[in-house]
Amino acid sequence: KKFGSAGYEEVRWFADYGQEPAAREQAILAAAKALRPTLTFMQLQMPGAVELETVRRIRALSSADSVIVTWCGDIANENRPMDVDWQVPLGRAVDLTLHSSMTHVRALRAAGCHNAGYLQIGFDGGEEGQYRPPRESEIGFSPDTRPDESFDFDVCFLGSRYGQGDAFAKSYVWKSGEPAHDAKLRDEVVEKMRAAFGALFGLFGNGWGPDIQPVPLAKSHEVYWQSRIGLSVSLDNKLECYSSDRLLRILGCGCALLVKRFPMMSVWGLKHEVNCLIFNTADEAAGLARKYTIGRVSPHNDE
């Protein structure tokens, strides 16, 4: 953005990820040859996304003072959370190899990638106008932009379900074989919220049953704008400094953030009962939600 649109170009080859790897690599190299970039930033989140030799050839096709950076920001796509082996050769071939959790940064440095660093997860700049309070957003509430749907919830959660029997959840384990995901905690928190708030709990995502659907990303801000509390439970809450972009979207939209504690979260500037509500267990989450929505609890709860 510093150099304007004339100095920046995004190559979105992920949409063609199903094509033959050789064709994909050729498309990337063709872009590098045409652009001769001074900065190449590659979001690589799984083994085989880009071949090591392709990265080396990008270097050769780039300008003499070029900088090449890789970043891995989606824990879910790594399959095994501490499997950094595939990132080590790539890390040694670039100037910086960045990650969205300090746990992974430490593992990479221990494996010999001394250029490993931390880059906090975010969201696409094109969406930025959505994730602000309505009064500040360019697309805030007005007679012409008022949403078609009502999302008047005490608590909302926009996230998929990864139950204990889910194939993805089974594969997402530490090298010790211990489950790394908080699928059980997600289930428990959702169960508590449903019991306490009934229809005033807004649940959106895959895997929760045929009557529950994900909300389109283009409308997620409308849910947060109209809800009192937004819930954030990452897939992994054991990694240092790691949380999903869901947390940032909730904060940006201005509703209260109810977030599962994660290591080094103070680095994000998060403080309990100052700019967020922090919980460790499902009971704590439900208790905090009741405390901060008192007078609005659904009469259909079972407590």
Side-chain angles (χ1 to χ4, degrees):
K1 289 185 178 179
K2 177 181 178 181
F3 301 102
S5 58
Y8 171 82
E9 184 163 344
E10 184 172 359
V11 180
R12 284 187 172 270
W13 53 266
F14 189 82
D16 300 320
Y17 193 72
Q19 71 188 101
E20 287 295 320
R24 188 174 69 247
E25 303 291 318
Q26 290 172 7
I28 296 169
L29 290 172
K33 185 175 182 180
L35 296 170
R36 286 184 56 82
T38 55
L39 171 64
T40 301
F41 183 94
M42 295 182 285
Q43 185 173 348
L44 307 180
Q45 297 179 171
M46 63 190 73
V50 173
E51 297 298 328
L52 178 60
E53 184 57 31
T54 300
V55 174
R56 290 172 174 157
R57 292 184 66 187
I58 290 172
R59 169 82 73 190
L61 291 167
S62 302
S63 61
D65 58 347
S66 66
V67 175
I68 300 180
V69 181
T70 62
W71 176 58
C72 189
D74 189 348
I75 300 298
N77 282 337
E78 293 184 54
N79 192 23
R80 295 177 181 271
M82 287 311 299
D83 184 3
V84 298
D85 296 345
W86 66 272
Q87 298 179 57
V88 173
L90 283 170
R92 290 172 175 164
V94 300
D95 297 287
L96 285 172
T97 180
L98 304 177
H99 215 291
S100 59
S101 91
M102 276 302 300
T103 303
H104 286 82
V105 172
R106 298 183 201 284
L108 284 166
R109 289 175 179 171
C113 282
H114 302 297
N115 61 349
Y118 174 75
L119 180 63
Q120 181 175 300
I121 198 168
F123 47 80
D124 289 346
E127 304 167 358
E128 187 177 352
Q130 297 175 218
Y131 301 108
R132 298 177 182 176
R135 65 184 180 277
E136 299 176 7
S137 175
E138 297 175 1
I139 53 175
F141 291 159
S142 72
D144 296 326
T145 62
R146 190 170 296 278
D148 297 328
E149 298 179 62
S150 174
F151 301 113
D152 186 17
F153 302 117
D154 272 1
V155 184
C156 67
F157 180 53
L158 281 60
S160 296
R161 179 178 186 270
Y162 299 100
Q164 298 297 302
D166 181 88
F168 172 74
K170 286 183 177 180
S171 71
Y172 187 64
V173 297
W174 296 95
K175 287 185 176 180
S176 65
E178 176 192 1
H181 54 83
D182 266 337
K184 184 178 180 182
L185 177 65
R186 276 194 181 188
D187 289 355
E188 291 174 351
V189 171
V190 166
E191 181 181 352
K192 294 285 184 181
M193 295 299 177
R194 279 174 157 170
F197 293 95
L200 294 179
F201 174 52
L203 179 63
F204 302 88
N206 295 306
W208 297 107
D211 297 329
I212 306 296
Q213 300 296 322
V215 66
L217 193 60
K219 295 181 74 67
S220 60
H221 62 290
E222 295 182 7
V223 184
Y224 294 135
W225 278 355
Q226 297 178 64
S227 299
R228 284 149 186 80
I229 293 176
L231 178 62
S232 178
V233 188
S234 293
L235 190 63
D236 193 316
N237 296 288
K238 298 178 182 178
L239 302 174
E240 298 167 285
C241 294
Y242 175 76
S243 186
S244 71
D245 48 6
R246 181 185 301 107
L247 180 151
L248 294 174
R249 290 182 170 122
I250 295 169
L251 285 172
C253 287
C255 70
L257 166 67
L258 181 60
V259 56
K260 169 67 176 72
R261 184 182 300 278
F262 57 91
M264 294 176 65
M265 65 188 305
S266 61
V267 173
W268 285 49
L270 297 173
K271 296 182 179 180
H272 181 59
E273 296 188 318
V274 174
N275 52 15
C276 66
L277 304 170
I278 300 172
F279 69 91
N280 290 299
T281 67
D283 285 330
E284 288 179 358
L288 286 166
R290 291 191 196 96
K291 177 180 178 180
Y292 285 91
T293 57
I294 193 165
R296 281 268 307 182
V297 176
S298 169
H300 303 297
N301 67 72
D302 60 3
E303 295 193 354

